[in-house]
Amino acid sequence: MASTDPAQRNQVTLLQVGYSRQEDGDEFAMRANCTCTLVRCRDGTNIIVDTMTAWDGEHLRSLLGQQGLGVDDIHVVVCTHGHSDHIGCNYLFLKARMHLVGACASHQDLYMDHLGSGNPDDQLALDSNAEVVVKRSPGHTLSCVSVIVDNSQLGGRVGITGDLFERREDIDDENIWMDAGSENEKVQREERSKMAQLCEFIIPGHGPMFPVTASVRCKLKEDATSIT
Ligand SMILES: [Zn+2]
């Protein structure tokens, strides 16, 4: 049951809005960094989702500092997938009880089979209230995961989806997410539609958060069913 007291909500904060664009004057190069999100669960669990490139360590420390947190205050690291612009600063979070890179969960040299049952609907709860969960969302890579936050301060369910969505504009222009790379375009279309049915807000891999409107849901459902 969702609380109406804002202090009793899970707080979702975008620490850094990501981007991806063609490099000026070089058609064979891109500039890209991920959207980096902090989830402060109401049970006290702090989760960081996608940790930018390895060169962003000092920047990320300072972004967390602005939230009153140090790197040792992060309990769980989730990388939506294993590309270098989503995992680069995992090394900062050595007090975390778990690092999840795609569906692969580890702590030090211990690897845990949390999402390995083969059931695509498997979920892993990250907080004691089971309001913040990780689930598989394959497409961009087959190991991609998303973090789903219920009972958020935004008043709706939030999907932190990594590159399942590149940015809001890729709903009108499919080339944006397809050009960013997809290991299975058909599966990605289906997962995009499922995510939109599930969530009221989406935090994409390389852009700002956007609301999921009825027309967005409708367009994504059409995309998933019309193209085979
Ligand atoms: Zn990415």
Side-chain angles (χ1 to χ4, degrees), residues 4 7 13 18 25 27 32 40 65 72 76-77 80 106 121 123 136 176 214:
T4 49
T13 305
E27 60 175 313
R40 302 185 79 162
D72 290 348
V76 180
V77 176
T80 54
S106 66
D121 296 326
Q123 293 195 346
R136 286 176 177 271
I176 295 173

Side-chain angles (χ1 to χ4, degrees), residues 81 85-86 140 163 206:
H81 59 292
D85 54 332
H86 296 257
H140 178 67
D163 295 6
H206 294 267

